[in-house]
Amino acid sequence: MEPLPFHLSPLLFLLLSLLLLAHPCTSSRPQVVERASGPEQPQSSGNTTGSGKRTCADIVVCRPGILLPVWMPEKPPVGEQAGRAVIYFVCLMYMFLGVSIIADRFMASIEVITSQEKEVTITKPNGETTVTTVRVWNETVSNLTLMALGSSAPEILLSVIEVCGHNFDAGELGPGTIVGSAAFNMFVIVGLCVWVIPEGESRKIKHLRVFFITAFWSIFAYIWLYLILAVISPGIVEVWEAVVTLLYFPVCVILAWIADRRLLFYKYMHKRYRADKRHGIVVEMEGDLAPKGIDVIMDGKLSDGSSCPGNSSSVTVSVQTGNELDQKNDEVVRILKDLKEKHPDKDLDQLIEMANYSALVHKKKSRAFYRVQATRMMIGAGNILKKHAAEHARRSAGQDADMATCSHICFESAQYQCTENCGTMSIGVILDGGTGQNTFYVDYCTENGSANAGADYEFSEGTLVFKPGETRKEIKVGILDDDIFEEDEHFFVRLKNLRLEEGGNEGTGSPPKGRLVEPLLATITILDDDHAGIFTFGQRVLRVSESTGTLTVTVVRNSGSRGTVAVPYHTEDGSAKAGVDYEETRGELEFTNEKTSQALKVRIINVEEYEKQENFFIVLEDPKWLKRGLSGNPTPEEEEARRISEMGKPILGEHSRLEVIIEESCEFKNTVDKLLRDTNLASVIGTHSWREQFIEAFTVSAGDGDEEEQRGPNCCDYFMHIVCIFWKILFACIPPTEYWNGWACFIVSISAIGFLTALIGDLASHFGCTVGLRDTVTAVVFVALGTSLPDTFASKVAATQDQYADACIGNVTGSNAVNVFLGIGLAWSVAAVYWEVNGKVFRVDPGSLAFSVTLFTIFAFLSMGVLMLRRRPSIGGELGGPRTTKILTSLLFFGLWFLYILFSSLEAYCHIQGF
């Protein structure tokens, strides 16, 4: 666990000041400063008569909590009172620790839920379509709903539980915690994030549209609180006010989603723009660190800035989708290339293991991930990224070890081709690994595809026997010929039922002596030979590295292979020029009878450009029929065959013009795809079984995530593990995130957070009254600080690791708005409806809460202005920047928080006049 930064040490001074501030309340001469008549009027009666306003009595009275009663006697000796305060404080801190650990499980479930994916079709500029997977949840919507709920669940639930648990009367602890947490988030967390950026670096908000929306709502939420407390209906919260407060939450989410998707008027705004140059404030929609060559124009298209095969340059799904797809591939490719240059002696498997952790570190992460990572490092559970990479390496080693004792049986290839007049098709099945001492029986059978058994091929099934020492067998399938022109057809052959004994049950013992592995299904394509053929390239676009040398391109002959056909071809310039980027080529490919493919070659000239992206074209001309496969004096049967063949003269297919894109070297394409699958963050922080959770609960791991080399846990890690072992074991009983796609863990976790939050509310109230602090002061200092510390560490990690500032600042503003709309809106809606049904009004004292809200709003406006000024080119972004500016900004934000706590506390004790 990292030590608390030195600039947070004034917290100790602040806490001491608050205790001294409360000390006069215990003097022997009582001084009662009243806000209104009826000096000790309880809140419950305030809903029927009176104003409902409290008094500034000098004695804080302990009242029974929702779960915890008052510790009797109420007025113990000073020594015992100090002991009680210590016990309450320790229990309160331990409950905060428990909430942090259960929030770990809660945020992991949210990460799994919001990581669900679906398949979509992406259209490239040239009209070609590809199918890829994208997340079901929009990132902005998930951040403002489930992510914000997970981050702020204790504050929100505390407000709701306090109202519902105290006869639907308004309390001070819940709303005070929400406002205090907002102040801590806005001033302390942002100030810390400004401070921790490495020297000479800066971070800028990328999605300014979304940030402006959430920033507006985060400030408007507290202005609205002031209006309903002190202006519209002072001291009374009407039903419509509470309901509107709650409804602001979906409105905020919808507007942020519209801004993110560039709908309505946003689609007419260019994605990059700047304010008046005289002011020097850069307000572009994307940060300066965006990949070169990628820009978004008004119609939502992406310019082609990709550098790796398979990347989509322009999509019809959404701007964000295509951009992210390109960036993910490019980032993994860059990591692999860098590692290969640094470690040329390593083989590909070793490079993959090294790249796995690096890709996880650089991958864009969600708010949930940073929260989980910070909590696990704090409690001695270790760096989850390094643990995942180590586990991945162990699994890879385990697969190699598995093949030493377990034989793998599969098809030699997943795809086979033959012409319909070939007679018999041979399909290879191979055995790899194992001890070589066992006999294996494996069944096979053919299955219809577009080709039908009995009409296009002979149905076949049987059993292959691999005796000791045998590693290859063949399956033979008869192919039926006809003289009817038809499309190419296919059927399947499947392997199944691997066993050790003939006629025995499926299985090879435990541990298994053999297993079926992919490919288990072979696809056999029957090429029609009654047509001269359709000649085409296999694709419309081909990306090649400029270091390729000689490019070999295959021209395929589909839907027939009868006769000899010549296909002329030539190259054409695009942005690549013949003689500079490639050698001009012209020629003719000859396909003999039943020949189904030919290759042409073009030499690529390596001019060693760093980010090259040039294109040229290879064009197929009309094919010429040289020989038709028929004799000079045909019989009547051959005449009929000639007539059939005339119907099938050679033609060009769909892809007769191939675009060749020459770009910088792009290695490890398959490895990139594999790494993208292996670095799914939902699988990194999620769990698959209770067994896994209990093993993790009892395991101590190194908590420092900044070291490059692996190390063992230190004394601090063991100490935190022992302290947290009760919570770890208890919360290991929560359903794993794999169940119900994370929803089972979500429901149980939020229920546990609600129970602990009720205990925290009681403990905080009892601690405050024991030391003489009001609930409002206890809330804005102790409870807000305890619930926000995990977010503090998570934001620190996000600030240093993320490329942009969105994960720090944007999430703070979104969380502050959600706290009010959900936490206060839901609680007050329930209470207002309850009292309305009973024919009474719901009274809320506007005093301390309205004062705190007003103070926070003023300071929030000031802080937002400072952040926008920091976008000046001389500073570079909201976070980091020149050392002097960075220090001054951090001190300003910490000072605003200190002033907020000080003034709120002075008002609570009537030293200054509130509302």
Side-chain angles (χ1 to χ4, degrees):
M1 182 181 72
E2 295 186 358
L4 199 64
F6 74 90
H7 50 275
L8 293 183
S9 59
L11 285 175
L12 299 177
F13 172 74
L14 176 62
L15 299 181
L16 181 60
S17 301
L18 291 172
L19 293 178
L20 293 176
L21 184 65
H23 178 70
C25 297
T26 61
S27 63
S28 59
R29 194 180 82 179
Q31 296 180 355
V32 180
V33 182
E34 298 183 2
R35 289 186 179 272
S37 60
E40 299 220 358
Q41 187 176 355
Q43 169 66 19
S44 58
S45 63
N47 284 312
T48 56
T49 62
S51 65
K53 294 185 178 180
R54 63 173 175 80
T55 63
C56 284
D58 60 343
I59 297 176
V60 180
V61 180
C62 291
R63 293 185 176 87
I66 299 173
L67 300 176
L68 299 179
V70 175
W71 194 339
M72 304 300 291
E74 293 189 15
K75 297 180 180 181
V78 175
E80 183 180 345
Q81 186 175 6
R84 290 185 183 183
V86 172
I87 293 175
Y88 279 135
F89 182 79
V90 172
C91 291
L92 187 61
M93 294 302 104
Y94 199 63
M95 288 297 160
F96 283 141
L97 184 61
V99 168
S100 296
I101 295 174
I102 184 61
D104 175 336
R105 309 295 317 130
F106 187 53
M107 296 298 276
S109 70
I110 291 173
E111 178 70 26
V112 172
I113 291 170
T114 57
S115 296
Q116 299 301 311
E117 296 180 335
K118 64 179 179 181
E119 289 189 349
V120 297
T121 300
I122 293 180
T123 304
K124 299 182 180 180
N126 54 19
E128 186 177 348
T129 60
T130 59
V131 177
T132 188
T133 57
V134 297
R135 288 196 172 189
V136 175
W137 282 76
N138 175 270
E139 182 182 0
T140 297
V141 173
S142 66
N143 279 338
L144 286 176
T145 52
L146 292 181
M147 294 293 183
L149 177 61
S151 177
S152 304
E155 296 97 317
I156 295 172
L157 291 176
L158 178 61
S159 178
V160 175
I161 291 171
E162 183 185 34
V163 168
C164 297
H166 289 95
N167 299 321
F168 298 96
D169 292 330
E172 294 180 337
L173 201 62
T177 299
I178 286 177
V179 182
S181 177
F184 189 89
N185 291 344
M186 180 68 75
F187 307 133
V188 177
I189 291 182
V190 174
L192 176 64
C193 291
V194 172
W195 179 280
V196 298
I197 301 300
E199 195 71 29
E201 297 183 16
S202 62
R203 303 285 189 274
K204 183 179 292 186
I205 293 175
K206 179 181 180 182
H207 300 291
L208 267 181
R209 298 186 310 276
V210 177
F211 170 73
F212 285 151
I213 293 292
T214 57
F216 164 78
W217 283 104
S218 68
I219 295 178
F220 172 78
Y222 295 91
I223 296 176
W224 173 252
L225 273 186
Y226 170 77
L227 292 176
I228 63 177
L229 286 174
V231 178
I232 300 176
S233 55
I236 298 175
V237 175
E238 299 178 359
V239 174
W240 73 268
E241 294 173 332
V243 172
V244 167
T245 304
L246 180 61
L247 292 179
Y248 277 140
F249 171 66
V251 173
C252 172
V253 173
I254 292 171
L255 289 180
W257 176 76
I258 289 173
D260 179 63
R261 294 298 299 270
R262 301 183 64 79
L263 303 177
L264 301 180
F265 64 89
Y266 288 102
K267 67 182 179 180
Y268 300 108
M269 299 171 60
H270 196 277
K271 193 170 185 182
R272 296 180 183 270
Y273 65 91
R274 295 174 181 265
D276 192 339
K277 294 183 179 179
R278 292 175 297 176
H279 298 89
I281 302 174
V282 182
V283 288
E284 58 194 72
M285 282 303 158
E286 296 288 334
D288 290 336
L289 298 177
K292 180 180 179 182
I294 294 181
D295 191 16
V296 181
I297 59 177
M298 292 175 64
D299 60 359
K301 298 289 185 181
L302 288 174
S303 66
D304 194 355
S306 55
S307 59
C308 194
N311 288 349
S312 59
S313 56
S314 179
V315 305
T316 58
V317 180
S318 72
V319 171
Q320 185 180 2
T321 300
N323 199 353
E324 288 178 350
L325 289 173
D326 289 344
Q327 291 184 19
K328 287 178 182 178
N329 290 332
D330 293 346
E331 182 66 21
V332 174
V333 168
R334 183 191 62 78
I335 291 171
L336 287 170
K337 291 171 66 176
D338 291 345
L339 288 173
K340 186 176 182 181
E341 292 176 0
K342 293 178 181 178
H343 307 280
D345 55 324
K346 302 286 186 181
D347 59 29
L348 185 58
D349 290 336
Q350 292 173 315
L351 289 175
I352 291 175
E353 292 178 14
M354 296 170 65
N356 188 266
Y357 174 70
S358 183
L360 283 171
V361 169
H362 292 89
K363 186 183 181 73
K364 182 180 178 182
K365 303 174 186 67
S366 68
R367 183 177 182 174
F369 175 85
Y370 286 121
R371 177 72 179 260
V372 172
Q373 170 78 320
T375 301
R376 295 193 185 180
M377 290 171 63
M378 181 178 66
I379 65 175
N383 186 322
I384 55 179
L385 293 181
K386 287 186 176 180
K387 289 174 67 175
H388 175 77
E391 180 63 26
H392 179 266
R394 284 195 295 270
R395 286 199 303 267
S396 299
Q399 292 175 357
D400 296 337
D402 178 66
M403 289 194 63
T405 58
C406 179
S407 299
H408 291 183
I409 298 175
C410 62
F411 283 111
E412 228 172 6
S413 173
Q415 302 286 338
Y416 292 87
Q417 289 184 341
C418 66
T419 57
E420 65 177 359
N421 65 351
C422 68
T424 302
M425 180 66 192
S426 297
I427 305 161
V429 180
I430 58 173
L431 181 148
D432 189 20
T435 60
Q437 300 176 355
N438 299 300
T439 300
F440 295 99
Y441 298 83
V442 58
D443 296 338
Y444 67 89
C445 69
T446 57
E447 298 177 0
N448 286 345
S450 56
N452 297 313
D456 302 296
Y457 71 95
E458 296 176 353
F459 175 78
S460 179
E461 64 178 349
T463 301
L464 299 177
V465 182
F466 286 89
K467 295 181 179 179
E470 294 182 338
T471 59
R472 190 179 188 279
K473 292 289 182 178
E474 285 190 351
I475 299 173
K476 295 187 180 295
V477 180
I479 307 299
L480 304 179
D481 191 13
D482 58 42
D483 289 329
I484 302 173
F485 167 61
E486 55 191 351
E487 296 291 333
D488 296 341
E489 299 173 316
H490 68 276
F491 66 95
F492 308 100
V493 181
R494 186 183 299 276
L495 297 179
K496 59 183 180 179
N497 193 21
L498 177 65
R499 57 197 185 279
L500 292 174
E501 298 178 1
E502 185 174 5
N505 295 327
E506 183 176 3
T508 59
S510 180
K513 298 179 177 63
R515 62 166 55 96
L516 295 176
V517 297
E518 296 292 339
L520 298 176
L521 186 71
T523 302
I524 295 88
T525 302
I526 305 174
L527 304 176
D528 184 64
D529 62 353
D530 302 309
H531 188 287
I534 299 174
F535 298 86
T536 181
F537 292 111
Q539 64 227 64
R540 186 187 298 272
V541 180
L542 176 63
R543 298 176 183 270
V544 299
S545 167
E546 64 175 352
S547 60
T548 299
T550 300
L551 170 64
T552 301
V553 180
T554 301
V555 179
V556 295
R557 183 184 197 181
N558 297 322
S559 301
S561 58
R562 173 166 293 182
T564 301
V565 179
V567 182
Y569 65 90
H570 66 274
T571 58
E572 291 182 0
D573 285 351
S575 57
K577 304 302 179 184
V580 177
D581 301 295
Y582 71 98
E583 290 186 356
E584 183 179 7
T585 306
R586 184 178 297 272
E588 193 173 81
L589 298 176
E590 183 174 307
F591 290 78
T592 58
N593 191 42
E594 297 187 2
K595 185 73 172 178
T596 58
S597 66
Q598 281 283 28
L600 60 87
K601 296 183 177 182
V602 179
R603 183 171 176 271
I604 306 298
I605 301 174
N606 189 355
V607 294
E608 298 182 348
E609 292 184 20
Y610 176 63
E611 287 189 338
K612 180 168 185 172
Q613 182 132 12
E614 311 289 350
N615 69 326
F616 70 95
F617 302 91
I618 303 176
V619 181
L620 299 180
E621 302 174 15
D622 291 334
K624 297 178 290 186
W625 211 341
L626 301 181
K627 296 181 180 179
R628 309 193 181 189
L630 301 172
S631 60
N633 298 310
T635 62
E637 291 79 7
E638 290 175 333
E639 276 293 339
E640 179 64 18
R642 182 190 298 275
R643 187 186 65 80
I644 294 174
S645 65
E646 287 291 344
M647 295 169 56
K649 60 183 178 180
I651 59 174
L652 293 178
E654 179 183 5
H655 301 149
S656 61
R657 181 182 174 89
L658 175 67
E659 179 185 4
V660 180
I661 299 177
I662 309 172
E663 55 192 8
E664 61 172 312
S665 183
C666 196
E667 300 98 342
F668 313 143
K669 176 63 174 65
N670 294 331
T671 305
V672 169
D673 296 336
K674 184 175 184 297
L675 274 176
L676 286 173
R677 292 192 299 270
D678 291 339
T679 54
N680 183 358
L681 292 176
S683 64
V684 173
I685 65 177
T687 52
H688 306 283
S689 65
W690 270 291
R691 178 178 179 273
E692 178 184 343
Q693 292 183 170
F694 277 101
I695 291 175
E696 184 178 312
F698 283 100
T699 303
V700 188
S701 302
D704 191 348
D706 295 331
E707 298 181 7
E708 291 296 329
E709 299 297 330
Q710 290 282 354
R711 66 165 178 84
N714 56 26
C715 295
C716 183
D717 297 323
Y718 280 106
F719 173 76
M720 290 304 302
H721 175 71
I722 294 172
V723 171
C724 303
I725 188 68
F726 169 75
W727 294 123
K728 288 184 176 182
I729 296 175
L730 178 64
F731 297 140
C733 300
I734 290 176
T737 56
E738 188 164 296
Y739 296 178
W740 297 357
N741 290 327
W743 285 105
C745 181
F746 179 91
I747 295 171
V748 177
S749 296
I750 198 170
S751 302
I753 291 175
F755 178 77
L756 291 183
T757 301
L759 286 176
I760 287 174
D762 291 350
L763 286 170
S765 182
H766 292 342
F767 168 74
C769 71
T770 301
V771 299
L773 290 177
R774 291 190 174 279
D775 279 352
T776 52
V777 179
T778 305
V780 298
V781 180
F782 292 99
V783 184
L785 183 64
T787 56
S788 298
L789 272 181
D791 279 332
T792 305
F793 293 110
S795 296
K796 175 184 175 295
V797 176
T800 54
Q801 291 187 1
D802 248 22
Q803 192 178 12
Y804 302 104
D806 299 68
C808 309
I809 302 175
N811 289 336
V812 164
T813 56
S815 177
N816 287 351
V818 171
N819 282 355
V820 172
F821 298 146
L822 275 185
I824 295 181
L826 181 59
W828 285 2
S829 294
V830 172
V833 170
Y834 172 82
W835 289 112
E836 181 69 21
V837 170
N838 286 274
K840 302 174 183 177
V841 294
F842 177 50
R843 297 188 178 277
V844 179
D845 175 27
S848 293
L849 183 58
F851 181 84
S852 295
V853 165
T854 304
L855 195 62
F856 168 77
T857 304
I858 295 171
F859 288 171
F861 270 116
L862 177 60
S863 64
M864 287 296 173
V866 171
L867 290 178
M868 289 299 99
L869 286 174
R870 286 181 56 85
R871 292 183 68 89
R872 295 174 64 91
S874 59
I875 299 176
E878 289 82 0
L879 307 182
R883 179 177 176 80
T884 303
T885 308
K886 180 169 66 173
I887 294 175
L888 291 176
T889 304
S890 296
L891 292 178
L892 172 63
F893 277 77
F894 297 148
L896 290 176
W897 182 68
F898 181 83
L899 291 176
Y900 168 79
I901 296 297
L902 179 62
F903 289 143
S904 296
S905 302
L906 290 173
E907 191 278 338
Y909 290 97
C910 299
H911 292 295
I912 59 177
Q913 184 65 37
F915 296 100

